[in-house]
Amino acid sequence: MSLRRVAAFSVHTSPLAQPGRGDSGGMNVYVRSLVAGLARAGVQCDVFTRRDDPDIAEIVELEPGVRVVHIDAGPPSSIEKELLPPLLETFGDAVCAWIERHNGHYDVLHAHYWMSGVVAHRLKHEFGLPLVTTFHTLDFVKHAAGIDEELHGRAAAERSIIACADLMIASTRDEERDLIVGYDADPARIEIVPPGVDHSIFHSRHRDESKRRLGYVGHDVVLFAGRIQPLKGGELALRSFGELTRTNAKLLMVGDPSGPIGPEELERLRNLTVELGIERQVEFVGSVPHSELADYYRAADVCVVPSHSESFGLVALEASSCGTPVVAASVGGLRSIVDDGRTGFLVEGRSPTDFAACIDKILSDPAFGASLGAQGASRSQQFSWNSTAVRLRRAYGDLAAREPVQCR
Ligand code: UDP
């Protein structure tokens, strides 16, 4: 098959949205970077997303070969992800009508996240096209991590998408195992393709320059970056920081509240800083545009990633790419990014004392921190969006030789 066009689906959040805010995070970065990489590799991509702004054009050309198509379904404003499942049918109808109106021809449908999977699964049958999915997170994994914030019907929807997907993309072996153990996925239809990092943005430079630019000269800087929601473990970041005895240390919390309990979580974290007596050392910075985040990584002596679960963990990879040692929870994709003892530390369990000991080990020995950072930057070279896109293009192409999977 000569692969020319892919219809990608990112129903609940647009690749144009700023990550670190609302429902926008790693998936937005992933979709945007992947389609850009595919376009560079000769595959044109249309990304279908729900219109959440009445003034935005129906079609926005992101770059040559990549268009974002805004589909009307529900109010043309940002709404909580939790309100979207009843709109998926309308969204699917509108995409079908759009494709017919524009004589759209696609070779592959690629769905990101389960809600897009619901839509693309239906289109697979309507148009007779192969269905590729990347889930980004799975209901099964969130439950296993004790996070029960998800929507009614999600697990069943994931199960039926998995049973009919022609190809599932997992970022890591752990995610592959979750698909098999949690959903009985067919291993022959899973391909492991790690995400990348944009080295033109995330590369190392002199740490003091970034500290000076951001106003942290003379401080040990610990960075947490991510959407503020319980899954990301902001509480553990604060409690670990609270155990440090370094009075010149600062903890920067970058990111905005996300999801229905995001605002409450931010309030809880702010109160916790007072309870721990660290309110003067902790700064809630809010979300920072993706391209500006590099300066925060570079200014940081340590980046802490204490998530309960993480299918990959772009923040850890971006920090490493900037030459910053990472102290991360030993869960999910973080285990494939951090090389324990060489680029940072992987901490088993959720003890603030254990996290603090690793952070302190780095802060109290700058030469050691610098060597972890340098090894992290060098290891991050193995991840790039171009190679992710090239592997995906090959995987899409291989689908032509396979019998389409039928719904069980
Ligand atoms: N991010 C950002 N600005 C912020 C906070 C986060 O651009 O203020 C980006 C960050 O660079 C990363 C993504 O959001 O690319 C978060 O991805 P990750 O995989 O770490 O977490 P997810 O959001 O997928 O749970």
Side-chain angles (χ1 to χ4, degrees):
M1 169 169 82
S2 103
L3 182 80
R4 292 197 320 270
R5 285 190 89 84
V6 171
F9 296 85
S10 179
V11 175
H12 78 281
T13 175
S14 165
L16 301 173
Q18 182 185 319
R21 184 177 280 179
D23 286 327
S24 176
M27 188 183 116
N28 305 67
V29 173
Y30 182 110
V31 173
R32 187 175 181 139
S33 310
L34 178 64
V35 292
L38 283 166
R40 285 192 294 273
V43 181
Q44 303 200 326
C45 298
D46 285 343
V47 185
F48 292 92
T49 191
R50 198 187 72 84
R51 174 189 291 283
D52 63 0
D53 172 353
D55 299 324
I56 201 159
E58 182 188 47
I59 301 175
V60 174
E61 186 170 0
L62 205 55
E63 49 194 280
V66 180
R67 303 188 299 179
V68 177
V69 182
H70 295 98
I71 294 292
D72 290 306
S77 56
S78 146
I79 58 174
E80 281 173 8
K81 193 166 72 172
E82 290 61 27
L83 301 175
L84 286 174
L87 299 174
L88 295 178
E89 199 173 328
T90 311
F91 186 95
D93 292 344
V95 175
C96 285
W98 191 94
I99 291 177
E100 272 156 26
R101 213 168 48 246
H102 289 79
N103 273 329
H105 173 82
Y106 299 101
D107 302 300
V108 171
L109 308 170
H110 190 156
H112 296 274
Y113 194 61
W114 72 272
M115 290 193 212
S116 299
V118 170
V119 172
H121 182 192
R122 164 188 166 184
L123 297 188
K124 161 181 167 142
H125 294 297
E126 293 205 17
F127 293 102
L129 290 170
L131 169 62
V132 179
T133 64
T134 306
F135 281 96
H136 298 272
T137 65
L138 289 163
D139 183 73
F140 167 78
V141 177
K142 287 204 165 177
H143 270 293
I147 303 285
D148 195 9
E149 61 180 27
E150 280 308 335
L151 307 164
H152 184 64
R154 175 177 177 175
E158 287 176 341
R159 204 165 272 287
S160 84
I161 298 159
I162 288 166
C164 192
D166 296 279
L167 179 66
M168 289 158 270
I169 304 299
S171 293
T172 61
R173 285 220 169 280
D174 277 12
E175 195 181 354
E176 177 191 46
R177 194 205 51 225
D178 292 334
L179 285 163
I180 296 169
V181 172
Y183 298 87
D184 213 12
D186 175 0
R189 290 190 270 123
I190 304 176
E191 186 131 346
I192 299 173
V193 183
V197 60
D198 186 341
H199 294 280
S200 70
I201 301 175
F202 301 107
H203 51 263
S204 50
R205 281 211 207 120
H206 208 274
R207 174 155 294 124
D208 285 345
E209 249 177 55
S210 296
K211 281 195 179 175
R212 192 163 42 249
R213 247 196 310 277
L214 297 176
Y216 298 113
V217 173
H219 292 284
D220 289 335
V221 176
V222 180
L223 174 70
F224 167 98
R227 292 170 295 124
I228 305 290
Q229 57 166 219
L231 181 76
K232 291 291 179 184
E235 173 176 349
L236 182 50
L238 294 178
R239 290 194 184 279
S240 312
F241 185 82
E243 296 215 3
L244 300 176
T245 49
R246 312 176 75 83
T247 48
N248 70 338
K250 288 261 182 212
L251 171 61
L252 309 184
M253 302 285 291
V254 170
D256 281 333
S258 174
I261 49 173
E264 194 185 304
E265 171 74 352
L266 177 59
E267 186 60 22
R268 202 173 67 84
L269 295 181
R270 282 191 189 281
N271 292 339
L272 185 59
T273 62
V274 177
E275 195 185 299
L276 297 171
I278 52 173
E279 70 275 25
R280 296 224 171 129
Q281 289 172 273
V282 179
E283 287 181 25
F284 288 89
V285 177
S287 65
V288 170
H290 197 53
S291 56
E292 291 171 29
L293 196 53
D295 239 0
Y296 283 84
Y297 290 129
R298 285 194 281 260
D301 298 279
V302 180
C303 179
V304 61
V305 188
S307 313
H308 286 269
S309 91
E310 202 67 75
S311 62
F312 189 67
L314 287 176
V315 158
L317 179 56
E318 291 162 358
S320 276
S321 203
C322 288
T324 302
V326 177
V327 173
S330 181
V331 295
L334 296 171
R335 287 199 284 248
S336 69
I337 299 170
V338 180
D339 188 351
D340 190 34
R342 293 172 57 86
T343 69
F345 293 106
L346 286 169
V347 183
E348 297 292 340
R350 303 195 61 75
S351 149
T353 311
D354 293 347
F355 272 78
C358 293
I359 296 169
D360 194 52
K361 210 164 175 176
I362 296 169
L363 295 181
S364 55
D365 185 350
F368 175 57
S371 100
L372 293 176
Q375 289 179 93
S378 141
R379 191 169 191 274
S380 76
Q381 293 297 325
Q382 64 186 267
F383 299 92
S384 87
W385 288 114
N386 280 349
S387 60
T388 306
V390 166
R391 289 180 65 181
L392 240 307
R393 186 188 57 175
R394 197 178 311 129
Y396 291 155
D398 289 349
L399 288 172
R402 295 205 203 163
E403 276 298 305
V405 173
Q406 302 300 333
C407 268
R408 278 189 224 153

